[in-house]
Amino acid sequence: MLIGLLAWAGTGLMPLKTAEAGGSGQADVGGAFALTDGSGRTVTDKDFRGKYMLVYFGYTHCPDVCPTTLLLIDNAVAQLGRKADRATPIFITVDPARDTPKVVGDYVKHFGPHLVGLTGSAQQVHDAAAAYKVYYSKIEDENSALGYMMDHSSFIYLMGPDGKYITHFPSTVSEESLTDELNIHIH
Amino acid sequence: MRAHPPSLLALTLLIATLAGAAHAADMAASNAWAPPSSAADTAVAYLTLSNHGADDTLKGADSPCCAHVELHTMDMTGGIMRMRRLDRLELPGGPERRVRARRHAFHADRPQGPPHRRADANPDAAFRTARPTLRWRSR
């Protein structure tokens, strides 16, 4: 079996946290960000105060993990019943060069009415990813129709109404487990 | 679990057709499936290929449904998603030799038509226009 033809072109952040399982408690994850939503409006972390945030970093050209995870989040939140309005799912792109506000805005519409899509300048995205300890890296491939792909951490971060980190989940978490955990943490 | 977007179904059917072509050359394809994909630009499908004949090599796949179809690996080691294009995939012969579906993806880039949303697309229409072919090269 042939596995992996790697061609690293490390232009992103260094790997910081690669735990397979969810964790909670004291991690220094999250913080201030200033990004742009699908309508071109500037959005900061303070705009979500008072609500839980479910934050996921990815990119719209990702054919598999990102759409699967966003659908997972949408399904889990939908099963929270009356508590669903307490949580805002947020998708932050790690590919701002292709993911303009319009692209991100159109993309998130496929994953339920509550998902917020955010992009920004390369520096703004870098800063947001750094705050969440998210690794990403642009992998050039001139022989691919895509031109390049983005390696990226694939975790779902649950942030509290005060903006502070509560826990995180791998994107491989089951829908049932994610729903159960959200029911425990979201009040 | 909510229903998958229609674009997902279209690609699944496409790969199922590819599987039919493979049978004629001692190849068997099974477990074809595709994760949800709502973006207009990219979609992905997975399948298991079993080679019951001599060693062979998969060079790629074509479909008029998509501007490009590429073979990729996808890896999630350490919680980091890594996708890489493959020029070729070795398919050793033998009754027990299989290529696992999750490790290799047929990555369809830029499917034709407008973005498929959950409620307004017709996967059957996409399937009827598909004439995919597999290109094999014996060693």
Side-chain angles (χ1 to χ4, degrees), chain A residues 1 38-39 52 76 84-86 97 104 108 114 119 142-143 166 170 174:
Chain A
M1 180 184 298
S39 66
Y52 294 82
D85 289 340
R86 296 280 291 141
V104 169
V108 297
H114 304 300
T119 185
E142 63 182 15
N143 294 317
I166 295 176
S174 71

Side-chain angles (χ1 to χ4, degrees), chain A residues 64 71 74 145-146 151 154, chain B residues 2 46 70 79 84 107 118:
Chain A
D64 181 355
L71 197 61
D74 181 51
L146 289 174
D151 289 356
S154 188
Chain B
R2 297 181 187 180
Y46 297 90
E70 297 179 359
R84 298 292 184 274
H107 179 189
R118 287 178 181 167

Side-chain angles (χ1 to χ4, degrees), chain A residues 39-89:
Chain A
S39 66
R41 185 175 67 95
T42 298
V43 173
T44 76
D45 55 296
K46 293 182 174 58
D47 292 325
F48 301 99
R49 289 293 184 272
K51 280 198 165 189
Y52 294 82
M53 297 188 295
L54 280 162
V55 182
Y56 183 74
F57 289 77
Y59 69 117
T60 68
H61 280 70
C62 175
D64 181 355
V65 176
C66 294
T68 302
T69 304
L70 294 175
L71 197 61
L72 166 71
I73 294 171
D74 181 51
N75 286 338
V77 170
Q79 294 179 56
L80 295 178
R82 285 182 294 178
K83 291 197 287 188
D85 289 340
R86 296 280 291 141
T88 301

Side-chain angles (χ1 to χ4, degrees), chain A residues 18 20, chain B residues 75-82 103:
Chain A
T18 57
E20 290 285 0
Chain B
D75 179 73
M76 285 289 290
T77 301
I80 296 173
M81 195 286 292
R82 299 179 179 89
R103 301 304 289 264

Side-chain angles (χ1 to χ4, degrees), chain A residues 2-3 8 18 20 61 63-64 67-68 71 74-75 78 110 141 143-146 149 151-152 154 171 175, chain B residues 1-2 35-36 38 41-42 44 46 68 70 78-79 81-85 88 103-104 107 109 117-118:
Chain A
L2 187 62
I3 300 175
W8 284 86
T18 57
E20 290 285 0
H61 280 70
D64 181 355
T68 302
L71 197 61
D74 181 51
N75 286 338
H110 297 289
D141 185 348
N143 294 317
S144 172
L146 289 174
M149 287 149 276
D151 289 356
H152 63 89
S154 188
S171 59
E175 183 179 316
Chain B
M1 186 79 177
R2 297 181 187 180
S38 296
D41 283 348
T42 59
V44 67
Y46 297 90
H68 304 277
E70 297 179 359
M81 195 286 292
R82 299 179 179 89
M83 193 172 67
R84 298 292 184 274
R85 185 182 55 82
R88 51 195 282 154
R103 301 304 289 264
H104 305 282
H107 179 189
D109 179 51
R117 299 188 182 188
R118 287 178 181 167

